[in-house]
């Protein structure tokens, strides 16, 4: 086995390049993009900072959502297309929407902690990340909502 014949498994690649893969599709066998099970969309107008990334990773981990099956998008990336286009592109089972973003037709702006169905995607509307990080009560309400939705004891 020479240097040109080194093979690295997909899980090891994900672990090695975790931060680089945070905002890109994961790779399955045959180098095909895997289906995104979970889509997280934030209202942040710039790249998601380290504090917010850590906070989001904590939410994903607590809800037992595998990072490698999750796509995280911020509002800047949404400007390239609508939320509806993003939902169609990734076709997630669940979409966590943080903040007040323009919703696709068929979804209604409601108070935070609401679950709605859009085609095959369960859309969970959540308060803005900045509010959650600053307000313990909002964080607790979100956690209770997510526990109920994901069936966490």
């Amino acid at each position: 086995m020479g240097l040109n014949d080194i093979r690295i498994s997909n899980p090891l690649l994900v672990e090695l390049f975790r931060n680089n893969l945070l905002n890109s599709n994961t790779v399955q066998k045959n180098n095909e993009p895997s289906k995104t099970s979970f889509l997280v969309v934030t209202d942040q107008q710039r790249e998601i900072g380290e504090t917010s990334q850590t906070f989001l990773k904590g939410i994903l981990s607590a809800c037992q959502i595998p990072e490698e099956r999750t796509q995280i998008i911020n509002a800047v990336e949404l400007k390239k297309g609508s939320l509806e286009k993003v939902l169609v592109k990734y076709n997630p089972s669940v979409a966590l929407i943080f903040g007040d973003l323009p919703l696709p037709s068929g979804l209604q702006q409601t108070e935070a902690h609401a679950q709605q169905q859009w085609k095959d995607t369960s859309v969970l509307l959540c308060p803005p990340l900045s509010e959650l990080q600053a307000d313990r009560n909002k964080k607790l309400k979100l956690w209770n909502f997510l526990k109920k939705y994901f069936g966490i004891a």
Side-chain angles (χ1 to χ4, degrees):
M1 175 183 204
L3 286 176
N4 293 332
D5 296 327
I6 295 175
R7 304 216 189 271
I8 299 175
S9 69
N10 287 333
L12 182 56
L13 279 172
V14 169
E15 194 60 37
L16 288 172
F17 297 102
R18 178 171 303 284
N19 291 334
N20 293 345
L21 293 175
L22 185 62
N23 289 320
S24 64
N25 279 334
T26 57
V27 176
Q28 270 185 339
K29 293 176 184 162
N30 304 327
N31 292 325
E32 296 173 10
S34 66
K35 181 182 183 326
T36 301
S37 298
F38 302 94
L39 178 67
V40 177
V41 182
T42 72
D43 58 343
Q44 294 190 338
Q45 295 298 320
R46 58 191 191 298
E47 190 173 312
I48 299 170
E50 189 174 327
T51 304
S52 295
Q53 276 188 13
T54 302
F55 184 72
L56 281 173
K57 286 180 182 181
I59 292 171
L60 297 173
S61 176
C63 294
Q64 301 170 351
I65 298 172
E67 261 186 75
E68 62 273 6
R69 304 278 297 193
T70 303
Q71 181 71 29
I72 299 176
I73 295 176
N74 63 19
V76 173
E77 294 174 83
L78 271 182
K79 288 183 181 179
K80 299 174 188 170
S82 68
L83 181 56
E84 184 169 353
K85 288 180 183 175
V86 170
L87 289 171
V88 168
K89 177 181 177 181
Y90 293 106
N91 191 27
S93 303
V94 177
L96 293 169
I97 310 296
F98 289 93
D100 297 322
L101 296 169
L103 298 174
S105 59
L107 292 177
Q108 297 178 3
Q109 285 287 7
T110 61
E111 61 186 70
H113 309 111
Q115 186 267 328
Q116 298 181 42
Q117 195 66 31
W118 188 81
K119 298 189 179 182
D120 293 332
T121 302
S122 187
V123 177
L124 308 178
L125 301 177
C126 307
L129 277 177
S130 57
E131 287 181 19
L132 288 168
Q133 290 174 294
D135 188 327
R136 188 181 187 314
N137 287 331
K138 287 185 179 184
K139 202 180 307 184
L140 185 59
K141 284 181 184 177
L142 174 65
W143 175 236
N144 287 331
F145 170 69
L146 293 174
K147 281 193 323 186
K148 182 178 177 183
Y149 179 81
F150 288 107
I152 300 169

